[in-house]
Amino acid sequence: MATNSPLNLDFVRSQFPGLNRGWTLFDNAGGSQILQGALDRINTFLIEKNVQIGGSYEVSQAAASALYEARTAAMHLVNARRPEEIVFGNSTTALLQNLARAMHSQFSPGDEIIVTVADHESNIGPWDRLQERGVVLKVWPLNKESMALELSDLAPLMSERTKLVCVTHCSNLLGSINPIREIADFVHERGARICVDAVAYAPHRAVDVQAFDVDYYVFSLYKTYGPHYALMYGKHDLLLELDPLYHYFYGKDKVPGKLEPGNPNYELAYSTCGIVDYLVALGEQAGETGTVRQRIEAAYGAITAQENALADRLLGYLRSRNDCQIVGQAQNRESSRVPTIAFRFDGREAGEICRAMDEEKIAIRFGDFHSRRLAEYLGLTDNGGMLRVSMVHYNTIEEVDRMTAALDRILATEAGLAKAS
């Protein structure tokens, strides 16, 4: 392991049992490995508390307490004001579809929703479908020169009829972090609300919904070291306004239960406690002894430093090749991007390179990563789309070097075969 890491990587990697299978896992934006602590919480619930909440008996009361503990852990994770601002669901996609359904009564024909071309489809499709109800959809374009979302391009799209702006906190293709507080202030000053997809951000940086002043904020636990599950934060007063998605006797004031039809998956929700336990431990190792929230923030400080080193190593390699196009920022200036890095090699089929990496037991991905509108907008859909290496803090510099050495071999072999033919 790298000796200059801000993290104790031996400890970190020991917490993820899936890292012991002989693979170098660089497809973390598709799904990170799960923490042992999250698995332990799932098993504890299923063995000790696996009954329906709402009963008078002791085990049911314990199940209800576990669910409340999960919401409280999630509250600390995102710095919400209260546990009731946390809504659990199957995935970010499902939660955003549910949110769109729960907002139906808030929209009238002619009302406007703005989405960005740079988002994952999860934060476009649900709003796009509201056009069937007469809602007008507008698209905030990406500036192709800066490869950023510019407020100067958002301003002319907004009007008195704009009700909602939907934006990603971090592109799962570009890897760049958007200034969410600045965008939220801009949107709120014009009387609209903001909905943020944070799937590509939450594994890498501390989430602070109060500091961001977001109205709705959604991300997946299975990309943030937990199981295949997700959570949504919503400001409490706004959750009260949403239409119930559950039984008719779940009134508007039954928050968050009215937004969790069929109830949340208790054991998967409970795994959130294991994620927070791990982050608290990392924060303590970094020297923080304050509140749970302060320890979480310290953990992400160490995570960011480790991930910056990984990103710098890979970006440096890619910049050194004259046959490589990095999609997005080619340098990580002032931690402005996460280590989710998409790129292409001139004239090379992305799928062929990816499958050759499979033989090396190095897991990367190719395609458009469900950011298809952005890939099409940038003209990057030919030759199988893009390669993407998505790293997190448990990855190592040695793994990056192993991968780049494998890329060198694969590209040299393909070049030799092409020359021979």
Side-chain angles (χ1 to χ4, degrees):
M1 304 298 176
T3 58
N4 61 345
S5 171
L7 296 171
N8 180 342
L9 284 174
D10 288 329
F11 169 80
V12 166
R13 290 178 67 86
S14 74
Q15 303 304 301
F16 295 91
L19 296 178
N20 300 321
R21 304 201 320 273
W23 278 83
T24 295
L25 298 170
F26 281 144
D27 187 27
N28 296 288
S32 66
Q33 292 300 292
I34 188 171
L35 283 157
Q36 183 64 54
L39 286 169
D40 292 343
R41 291 285 186 151
I42 292 169
N43 289 333
T44 296
F45 189 95
L46 290 174
I47 294 168
E48 299 178 5
K49 317 170 195 289
N50 192 28
V51 298
Q52 180 62 282
I53 65 172
S56 60
Y57 58 98
E58 181 181 345
V59 184
S60 180
Q61 294 295 309
S65 295
L67 180 59
Y68 190 78
E69 185 182 351
R71 294 198 203 279
T72 302
M75 175 193 72
H76 291 307
L77 183 61
V78 304
N79 200 30
R81 293 172 180 81
R82 52 197 292 183
E84 293 81 10
E85 292 181 318
I86 303 299
V87 180
F88 287 112
N90 290 339
S91 64
T92 295
T93 298
L95 283 168
L96 286 168
Q97 289 177 355
N98 283 347
L99 178 61
R101 286 174 52 215
M103 294 182 75
H104 276 187
S105 67
Q106 298 182 26
F107 295 113
S108 301
D111 285 343
E112 299 167 355
I113 296 175
I114 297 172
V115 300
T116 86
V117 74
D119 268 66
H120 188 284
E121 189 63 20
S122 293
N123 204 23
I124 300 176
W127 313 112
D128 185 28
R129 285 190 282 276
L130 289 180
Q131 291 189 91
E132 299 171 356
R133 302 176 60 85
V135 171
V136 176
L137 192 78
K138 295 181 176 180
V139 179
W140 180 3
L142 184 81
N143 184 312
K144 290 183 179 179
E145 292 185 6
S146 65
M147 296 294 276
L149 295 168
E150 307 283 358
L151 290 179
S152 59
D153 293 322
L154 174 60
L157 298 177
M158 298 196 71
S159 76
E160 293 180 354
R161 298 299 299 269
T162 303
K163 298 291 186 181
L164 185 69
V165 175
C166 305
V167 62
T168 183
H169 201 153
C170 177
S171 168
N172 77 326
L173 191 160
L174 302 174
S176 50
I177 298 171
N178 292 316
I180 288 300
R181 178 55 192 254
E182 184 180 357
I183 296 170
D185 288 346
F186 189 89
V187 168
H188 289 151
E189 287 166 3
R190 287 154 180 79
R193 292 170 180 168
I194 185 170
C195 174
V196 179
D197 173 358
V199 166
Y201 180 88
H204 308 288
R205 301 285 195 275
V207 170
D208 190 338
V209 293
Q210 293 190 62
F212 302 154
D213 195 23
V214 288
D215 298 309
Y216 303 104
Y217 196 89
V218 193
F219 62 91
S220 298
L221 294 178
Y222 71 94
K223 300 180 182 183
T224 316
Y225 319 118
H228 203 106
Y229 212 46
L231 66 85
M232 178 178 77
Y233 157 83
K235 290 179 178 176
H236 192 259
D237 58 336
L238 300 184
L239 295 181
L240 289 170
E241 295 177 5
L242 295 174
D243 304 335
L245 302 179
Y246 210 169
H247 304 309
Y248 76 92
F249 45 83
Y250 277 60
K252 280 205 166 190
D253 61 343
K254 193 171 178 63
V255 171
K258 69 176 184 179
L259 303 170
E260 298 171 330
N263 292 332
N265 181 308
Y266 302 141
E267 64 269 22
L268 299 188
Y270 194 47
S271 74
T272 311
C273 301
I275 299 170
V276 169
D277 288 344
Y278 168 72
L279 293 169
V280 165
L282 289 188
E284 290 171 350
Q285 290 180 11
E288 179 57 63
T289 59
T291 65
V292 169
R293 179 64 197 177
Q294 288 170 330
R295 284 175 279 174
I296 290 172
E297 291 175 353
Y300 274 105
I303 284 170
T304 298
Q306 166 68 4
E307 292 185 346
N308 283 345
L310 297 171
D312 290 346
R313 190 73 153 213
L314 179 55
L315 289 170
Y317 165 80
L318 296 174
R319 289 195 307 268
S320 74
R321 297 191 63 103
N322 59 14
D323 60 347
C324 181
Q325 174 191 1
I326 300 172
V327 182
Q329 300 173 20
Q331 297 191 44
N332 183 25
R333 296 185 178 90
E334 298 180 349
S335 297
S336 57
R337 64 167 301 152
V338 301
T340 298
I341 301 169
F343 51 95
R344 285 155 54 101
F345 293 105
D346 298 344
R348 304 300 179 90
E349 174 67 32
E352 291 180 2
I353 295 174
C354 200
R355 284 184 283 272
M357 294 291 278
D358 295 344
E359 298 299 316
E360 304 271 353
K361 298 199 78 172
I362 299 173
I364 63 175
R365 186 171 290 267
F366 75 98
D368 59 35
F369 326 116
H370 288 189
S371 291
R372 182 162 300 176
R373 298 179 201 237
L374 178 57
E376 292 173 345
Y377 179 75
L378 297 175
L380 298 173
T381 57
D382 61 319
N383 290 327
M386 294 150 281
L387 294 162
R388 186 183 69 182
V389 173
S390 49
M391 302 172 285
V392 292
H393 68 287
Y394 54 60
N395 290 124
T396 68
I397 294 294
E398 291 83 357
E399 287 180 320
V400 176
D401 291 346
R402 179 170 176 259
M403 179 190 61
T404 56
L407 274 174
D408 281 339
R409 289 193 301 272
I410 291 164
L411 293 166
T413 299
E414 288 192 2
L417 290 174
K419 186 176 181 180
S421 64

